[in-house]
Amino acid sequence: MEIWINPACSKCRGAISLLDAEGAEYTVRRYLEDVPGEDEIRAVLERLGLEPWDITRTQEAVATELGIEEWAREAGTRDRWIAALASHPGLIQRPIITADDGTAVVGRTEDAVRDALSR
């Protein structure tokens, strides 16, 4: 199991606390420092069953600068979204937990973290 975190994020710290309390074995990836490439983002999106716009933090300042809210959310613009996430990892929703069964969850709630633990 791997968890993508920003240590400054309270949701990330909460997810780590829950994983620790449950005795889970996991690897921490500080994705702002160890930035995922476009292929890794595609793979995580497949595991999540989501599209890039589903995991984009559209309220971030860089999102406003890029005009992301105006971007089309369709197959033809998918690569543009993924490139933006790879270039600006702060736009990636967090924490993302990759479960042992090959799936992943966005662990913003205790229920989502527990879901990852059950897989």
Side-chain angles (χ1 to χ4, degrees):
M1 182 180 304
E2 182 176 77
I3 181 170
W4 293 8
I5 68 158
N6 172 352
C9 168
S10 63
K11 299 288 186 186
C12 293
R13 291 191 308 269
I16 294 274
S17 292
L18 182 55
L19 292 174
D20 288 344
E22 295 294 325
E25 291 186 26
Y26 62 92
T27 303
V28 170
R29 180 173 187 170
R30 293 179 178 213
Y31 72 94
L32 297 178
E33 299 164 14
D34 182 8
V35 179
E38 291 182 25
D39 288 341
E40 285 180 283
I41 293 170
R42 281 186 188 86
V44 164
L45 287 167
E46 185 173 324
R47 292 175 79 166
L48 287 165
L50 297 173
E51 292 295 339
W53 44 86
D54 296 326
I55 66 162
T56 300
R57 298 171 52 87
T58 59
Q59 301 305 312
E60 295 293 317
V62 70
T64 301
E65 291 170 21
L66 295 171
I68 282 180
E69 277 291 333
E70 306 304 317
W71 293 5
R73 296 174 185 215
E74 59 192 25
T77 60
R78 192 171 197 269
D79 287 343
R80 181 182 188 193
W81 284 84
I82 291 169
L85 293 173
S87 297
H88 307 281
L91 293 176
I92 299 172
Q93 192 60 260
R94 58 189 184 250
I96 293 178
I97 302 170
T98 56
D100 292 336
D101 70 351
T103 62
V105 299
V106 178
R108 295 192 54 78
T109 66
E110 186 174 312
D111 286 344
V113 176
R114 288 193 186 285
D115 182 36
L117 285 166
S118 71
R119 296 178 185 200

